[in-house]
Amino acid sequence: MCPLPSFLRRSQGKVPCEPRGAVKFSSCLGTKGTQYETSSMDFKVGADGTVFAARELQIPSEEVAFTVTAWDRHTAERWDTMVRLLVAQTSSTLPGHKKGKKAAAPAPAGPLNDTLLPWPQHQLTSGLRRQKRDWVIPPINVPENSRGPFPQQLVRIRSDKDNDIPIRYSITGVGADQPPMEVFSIDSMSGRMYVTRPMDREERASYHLRAHAVDMNGNKVENPIDLYIYVIDMNDNRPEFINQVYNGSVDEGSKPGTYVMTVTANDADDSTTANGLVRYRIVTQTPQSPSQNMFTINSETGDIVTVAAGLDREKVQQYTVIVQATDMEGNLNYGLSNTATAIIMVTDVNDNPPEFTSSTYAGEVPENRVETVVANLTVMDRDQPHSPNWNAVYRIISGDPSGHFSIRTDPVTNEGRVTVVKAVDYELNRAFMLTVMVSNQAPLASGIQMSFQSTAGVTISVMDVNEAPYFPSNHKLIRLEEGVPTGTVLTTFSAVDPDRFMQQAVRYSKLSDPANWLHINATNGQVTTAAILDRESLYVKNNVYEATFLAADNGIPPASGTGTLQIYLIDINDNAPELLPKEAQVCEKPSLTAINITAADADMDPNVGPYVFELPFVPAAVRKNWTITRLNGDYAQLSLRLLYLEAGMYDVPITVTDSGNPPLSNTSVIKVKVCPCDENGDCTTVGAVAAAGLGTGAIVAILICIVILLTMVLLFVMWMKRREKERHTKQLLIDPEDDVRDNILKYDEEGGGEEDQDYDLSQLQQPEAMEHVLSKAAGVRRVDERPVGAEPQYPVRPVVPHPGDIGDFINEGLRAADNDPTAPPYDSLLVFDYEGSGSTAGSVSSLNSSSSGDQDYDYLNDWGPRFKKLADMYGGGED
């Protein structure tokens, strides 16, 4: 087979743009049997491939393009190429001639070793104006995946000036001097252009290069020309599916033609050619039930649809379809193929009604039980479990008009649980015959009818149990007057035993009787009073007294019930009124002030007000001093009758009578405080005290006592301060200059810092030689630690010594301290009188001249005035 035609220009490459001028095309088919035609009416192609102008032209633009088609009459194969002609301005060699145009011939369209691309010529006119004639080179087509050998020549570029001067040729652009580098090369001297390696259209479909011509000095001799190289696609890529596995679904029972899914494959080859045109087909279907061709696929779009009826999820839940994609428009002989898997799930529809596994069910339930499961109803449904098409819904059609039962669906097993939601009574219904129906949450699919097995009967037997007696009238209310005598029959509060088919006895007892006012007969439930009922009692709320009774039978096991008896107590006038207030205050002289009095009665209307307030006749002074004025039925005023009444406390008896039938009276005493008042009618402070019952003498006596008490407190405080002052005075009166209690180590000390303070007392004490301490004479002892021995008794100091005895007391204490080895301080001067035995330190002869005998303290005179007194004290022989 011949490749696309390669069109050649005339070897001269010069055709004037005049009518009947021509450019010749040459094809590998030859001229014999080849026909040409163009898409332009202005240009034609002869049988020998010559392109010429059909008529004289005036081309308005600088470019004209048209298509040339060549076909073989024997094989009917066709080839097309695009011809672009650039029109250049020309002028005659003589002045005044009209300018004309020239057209460039097409460049070669295929890679032939002998293809020559002459450079556009440049001519100089007689007016020394340089005119150019440009040619547009047709694209160069290079098939991809060529096997070489490489480098493979594509075209030869030549300038018409190479006859005069040496020319160097070069190319630039992507594929030459730009990445990818050196795909194309050119012989700089001959102008032959090569491709250096196989091309890949999928990597790059076209290249745009520019050809350059320069002399040996690098000077440009021609304008660059454009070279377009197109890589011709070859079928070297298989179709690739977007997904290797596709998932789709279709409802069971779908009609033929129902859409399922779409599969897509892409081909990297040119989609405008057969190389990239993909077609689909189904290779296999698994399982092949109920037909081996349940699905079909649109060869162009990849849409998979059903092609046959009979999809049933209960038989086949999933189909696996192998889909093949082939390019070359599905030609299995020349095309490349690839496969993918389509998994089609058959989705469930409610095409199977639920059916009971049995036509009858039975159960039993004790009476008076609720939330008890009586029976379990089992069903079978072939639809997808735990879906609305499978979930069962139960209904009671008949047999339960009172709504004692309900059927609840177990979400796991799909069983129906017949549950008691309203207590049943054996004495009313010993058995129930229920008719139940089952359906699904989702309605049945179109055309599917309910099965006769979707209904069943349920027989429920009721078991008799011992029921508790009950009081028909609970709470029972009776009305009677308070105060009825003990033993009065109030009512018969009897209970009923619902177990009519059992012979049982009922006995009664009290469960709650807060005031213990009632008694009930254990056999017949007759209620009598055990005490007088009082409406004013704390146990009565809103005139009602409540008591609870218990009725129990003798069944097995025994059962009991409670009943509440409410007694509404009607009030009688059994409480006399009480006067209010109990205390009051009034001025000793009549004025506008008076005491408002009223009464309180525990009874209720009409056994309360209006009240009558009266002063008794005995004693006579009451009516003489006081008077009562009625304000209304509940209030009156008590005021002074005299012009003056001595201040003080007065007990005024007042009789209060209510309006009951019969009326009750009560004489109460109100304590009235009569006191002097100021001009505003208010009691003065002194008057209030006087009114409390104290005379002027008593008040004066109280004030004197208060003054005496304050004086005694003041004297006691002064005495305590004086005693404290004396205690400070009795302390040792020693001049600080004479105080010998200072530690000698602290006097005139010239220590050398911290190092001198780091003493090792163990070197001085030598505990292994402690025996000599106790055996030593009285004048030689250690006093820097507490000696071991009996402690002497100090003289007892008087509690309050006389000031004259202070000197004697000091001397006695001094003698006792000198003779006491345990007396502090242990850091006194005596600490240096013992240097230990075998001490490495030198002895201080000035402090201890000998172990026995008198001590010499004369050296202390040289230590200053303070030590001179010590020397006089100890050296002079005084203790």
Side-chain angles (χ1 to χ4, degrees), residues 70-351:
W71 75 90
D72 192 333
R73 290 179 294 180
H74 302 292
T75 61
E77 290 184 291
R78 299 171 61 90
W79 295 268
D80 294 327
T81 186
M82 176 66 68
V83 178
R84 296 172 59 224
L85 299 179
L86 294 180
V87 181
Q89 298 289 337
T90 60
S91 60
S92 70
T93 58
L94 297 176
H97 285 190
K98 294 182 179 180
K99 293 181 181 181
K101 293 184 180 180
K102 67 178 179 180
L112 292 180
N113 295 340
D114 296 334
T115 303
L116 180 63
L117 300 181
W119 218 277
Q121 294 182 353
H122 301 271
Q123 297 178 348
L124 294 178
T125 63
S126 59
L128 299 180
R129 293 180 58 190
R130 188 167 111 171
Q131 302 291 334
K132 66 179 179 178
R133 181 179 64 186
D134 293 333
W135 300 89
V136 176
I137 307 302
I140 302 172
N141 295 325
V142 180
E144 65 174 336
N145 303 325
S146 176
R147 296 184 179 180
F150 296 100
Q152 182 179 8
Q153 182 178 338
L154 296 180
V155 294
R156 179 184 178 190
I157 301 173
R158 178 177 175 277
S159 172
D160 56 359
K161 294 184 179 181
D162 61 355
N163 295 326
D164 300 329
I165 59 175
I167 301 295
R168 289 197 173 199
Y169 303 96
S170 64
I171 55 175
T172 59
V174 175
D177 60 345
Q178 299 178 20
M181 307 286 286
E182 299 180 354
V183 177
F184 302 98
S185 64
I186 189 171
D187 189 323
S188 61
M189 299 305 296
S190 65
R192 288 184 175 87
M193 180 176 170
Y194 301 91
V195 58
T196 62
R197 60 191 181 195
M199 310 293 288
D200 187 356
R201 192 200 66 87
E202 288 72 38
E203 180 180 346
R204 191 177 184 89
S206 64
Y207 296 86
H208 178 203
L209 303 178
R210 304 202 77 185
H212 306 270
V214 297
D215 59 14
M216 292 301 178
N217 296 325
N219 298 319
K220 181 174 67 174
V221 297
E222 298 284 0
N223 289 330
I225 61 173
D226 293 322
L227 300 177
Y228 292 93
I229 302 173
Y230 292 117
V231 182
I232 301 174
D233 182 46
M234 305 295 288
N235 190 19
D236 58 344
N237 290 279
R238 294 179 181 274
E240 295 291 340
F241 284 94
I242 297 178
N243 300 312
Q244 193 59 37
V245 178
Y246 290 84
N247 292 284
S249 62
V250 62
D251 290 341
E252 61 176 331
S254 296
K255 297 179 181 180
T258 302
Y259 172 79
V260 179
M261 68 170 73
T262 299
V263 297
T264 303
N266 297 323
D267 196 317
D269 292 325
D270 190 357
S271 60
T272 62
T273 66
N275 298 335
L277 296 179
V278 179
R279 297 294 182 262
Y280 304 92
R281 73 185 187 96
I282 293 177
V283 180
T284 61
Q285 167 196 304
T286 305
Q288 297 181 358
S289 173
S291 170
Q292 63 180 357
N293 295 319
M294 294 297 295
F295 305 95
T296 185
I297 188 170
N298 188 305
S299 62
E300 295 184 0
T301 63
D303 294 340
I304 299 177
V305 298
T306 60
V307 71
L311 291 173
D312 190 349
R313 191 204 67 85
E314 287 70 39
K315 295 180 180 179
V316 179
Q317 298 183 4
Q318 175 181 301
Y319 289 91
T320 301
V321 177
I322 304 301
V323 180
Q324 183 183 58
T326 306
D327 57 16
M328 296 300 292
E329 298 183 280
N331 190 323
L332 298 178
N333 296 325
Y334 303 102
L336 302 177
S337 301
N338 213 337
T339 60
T341 302
I343 298 177
I344 302 174
M345 300 295 299
V346 181
T347 56
D348 183 47
V349 298
N350 195 11
D351 57 346

Side-chain angles (χ1 to χ4, degrees), residues 16-79:
C17 188
E18 296 177 0
R20 304 299 181 181
V23 176
K24 184 177 181 181
F25 283 84
S26 177
S27 171
C28 67
L29 298 175
T31 58
K32 185 176 181 181
T34 303
Q35 294 184 349
Y36 303 94
E37 64 180 18
T38 66
S39 61
S40 174
M41 300 297 294
D42 297 329
F43 299 93
K44 291 184 179 181
V45 181
D48 58 351
T50 301
V51 180
F52 56 90
R55 55 188 176 84
E56 186 176 354
L57 300 176
Q58 290 293 330
I59 301 176
S61 62
E62 295 183 356
E63 178 181 327
V64 62
F66 56 91
T67 302
V68 176
T69 303
W71 75 90
D72 192 333
R73 290 179 294 180
H74 302 292
T75 61
E77 290 184 291
R78 299 171 61 90
W79 295 268

Side-chain angles (χ1 to χ4, degrees), residues 343-550:
I343 298 177
I344 302 174
M345 300 295 299
V346 181
T347 56
D348 183 47
V349 298
N350 195 11
D351 57 346
N352 294 282
E355 297 177 348
F356 285 105
T357 58
S358 176
S359 59
T360 59
Y361 297 88
E364 60 181 11
V365 60
E367 62 175 335
N368 302 322
R369 295 279 186 89
V370 293
E371 298 300 325
T372 301
V373 177
V374 179
N376 287 334
L377 310 180
T378 57
V379 296
M380 181 186 66
D381 196 321
R382 291 177 295 176
D383 291 320
Q384 184 176 357
H386 305 290
S387 68
N389 301 327
W390 180 82
N391 296 335
V393 178
Y394 299 89
R395 291 185 300 116
I396 298 176
I397 300 175
S398 62
D400 185 23
S402 300
H404 291 282
F405 304 95
S406 175
I407 304 179
R408 300 167 182 173
T409 304
D410 189 312
V412 178
T413 63
N414 213 28
E415 294 180 353
R417 297 180 177 180
V418 182
T419 308
V420 181
V421 295
K422 182 179 178 182
V424 295
D425 190 351
Y426 175 81
E427 286 71 28
L428 298 178
N429 300 98
R430 299 187 181 185
F432 291 87
M433 298 295 296
L434 307 180
T435 301
V436 298
M437 174 181 286
V438 63
S439 59
N440 295 122
Q441 290 180 349
L444 290 175
S446 177
I448 305 300
Q449 301 295 328
M450 290 293 295
S451 172
F452 71 93
Q453 294 181 351
S454 297
T455 58
V458 182
T459 302
I460 301 175
S461 300
V462 181
M463 297 184 297
D464 190 18
V465 297
N466 184 26
E467 299 177 77
Y470 67 93
F471 292 89
S473 55
N474 194 16
H475 301 13
K476 185 176 183 179
L477 178 64
I478 61 175
R479 299 171 63 91
L480 74 155
E481 289 184 351
E482 63 174 330
V484 295
T486 303
T488 301
V489 178
L490 301 182
T491 184
T492 298
F493 195 31
S494 59
V496 177
D497 191 347
D499 296 317
R500 294 177 297 170
F501 302 101
M502 298 181 184
Q503 300 299 325
Q504 299 179 149
V506 179
R507 298 188 64 82
Y508 303 92
S509 61
K510 287 195 304 181
L511 188 62
S512 174
D513 182 11
N516 202 22
W517 287 345
L518 305 177
H519 173 75
I520 187 169
N521 188 295
T523 304
N524 57 18
Q526 188 180 67
V527 180
T528 59
T529 59
I532 296 177
L533 307 184
D534 185 6
R535 190 198 66 84
E536 289 76 31
S537 171
L538 296 177
Y539 299 105
V540 178
K541 306 297 181 184
N542 298 325
N543 302 327
V544 176
Y545 179 75
E546 282 192 358
T548 305
F549 299 93
L550 182 69

Side-chain angles (χ1 to χ4, degrees), residues 472-778:
S473 55
N474 194 16
H475 301 13
K476 185 176 183 179
L477 178 64
I478 61 175
R479 299 171 63 91
L480 74 155
E481 289 184 351
E482 63 174 330
V484 295
T486 303
T488 301
V489 178
L490 301 182
T491 184
T492 298
F493 195 31
S494 59
V496 177
D497 191 347
D499 296 317
R500 294 177 297 170
F501 302 101
M502 298 181 184
Q503 300 299 325
Q504 299 179 149
V506 179
R507 298 188 64 82
Y508 303 92
S509 61
K510 287 195 304 181
L511 188 62
S512 174
D513 182 11
N516 202 22
W517 287 345
L518 305 177
H519 173 75
I520 187 169
N521 188 295
T523 304
N524 57 18
Q526 188 180 67
V527 180
T528 59
T529 59
I532 296 177
L533 307 184
D534 185 6
R535 190 198 66 84
E536 289 76 31
S537 171
L538 296 177
Y539 299 105
V540 178
K541 306 297 181 184
N542 298 325
N543 302 327
V544 176
Y545 179 75
E546 282 192 358
T548 305
F549 299 93
L550 182 69
D553 60 19
N554 57 352
I556 300 175
S560 61
T562 60
T564 301
L565 178 64
Q566 294 180 330
I567 305 174
Y568 185 88
L569 297 176
I570 302 173
D571 184 46
I572 62 175
N573 194 18
D574 57 346
N575 293 280
E578 292 288 336
L579 181 68
L580 294 176
K582 300 297 183 180
E583 296 180 355
Q585 178 178 289
V586 70
C587 292
E588 62 185 1
K589 296 181 180 180
S591 63
L592 297 178
T593 60
I595 302 172
N596 291 328
I597 58 176
T598 184
D601 197 327
D603 294 324
M604 58 184 300
D605 191 62
N607 298 319
V608 288
Y611 301 103
V612 176
F613 301 92
E614 296 177 319
L615 293 173
F617 291 95
V618 179
V622 175
R623 285 182 172 267
K624 177 181 178 182
N625 296 336
W626 306 92
T627 181
I628 293 179
T629 304
R630 181 182 178 85
L631 296 178
N632 52 37
D634 295 330
Y635 289 90
Q637 280 189 342
L638 175 66
S639 58
L640 285 174
R641 181 185 294 273
L642 300 177
L643 296 179
Y644 172 79
L645 184 63
E646 185 180 357
M649 294 295 296
Y650 294 88
D651 293 337
V652 180
I654 299 176
T655 302
V656 184
T657 305
D658 60 21
S659 299
N661 187 16
L664 295 179
S665 298
N666 181 32
T667 300
S668 301
V669 175
I670 179 173
K671 292 183 177 296
V672 181
K673 182 188 299 183
V674 179
C675 59
C677 297
D678 55 16
E679 61 276 5
N680 297 324
D682 299 326
C683 284
T684 61
T685 304
V686 177
V689 175
L694 297 178
T696 304
I699 295 174
V700 172
I702 292 173
L703 294 176
I704 292 174
C705 291
I706 293 174
V707 172
I708 292 174
L709 181 62
L710 292 176
T711 303
M712 292 178 64
V713 171
L714 181 61
L715 291 176
F716 180 76
V717 172
M718 294 175 63
W719 179 76
M720 291 297 294
K721 288 184 176 291
R722 182 177 180 182
R723 183 179 178 184
E724 184 70 20
K725 183 176 181 180
E726 291 177 354
R727 182 180 294 111
H728 289 292
T729 306
K730 292 175 183 178
Q731 297 198 5
L732 295 175
L733 302 177
I734 302 176
D735 187 4
E737 295 294 335
D738 299 333
D739 191 359
V740 298
R741 289 178 296 176
D742 290 346
N743 195 323
I744 296 178
L745 291 176
K746 299 176 64 175
Y747 182 82
D748 196 19
E749 181 179 70
E750 298 179 357
E754 295 181 356
E755 295 182 356
D756 290 349
Q757 303 300 323
D758 188 8
Y759 301 125
D760 186 3
L761 297 180
S762 62
Q763 298 296 327
L764 299 176
Q765 294 178 356
Q766 297 188 4
E768 68 277 1
M770 289 295 295
E771 293 81 4
H772 71 279
V773 177
L774 298 177
S775 60
K776 196 174 182 181

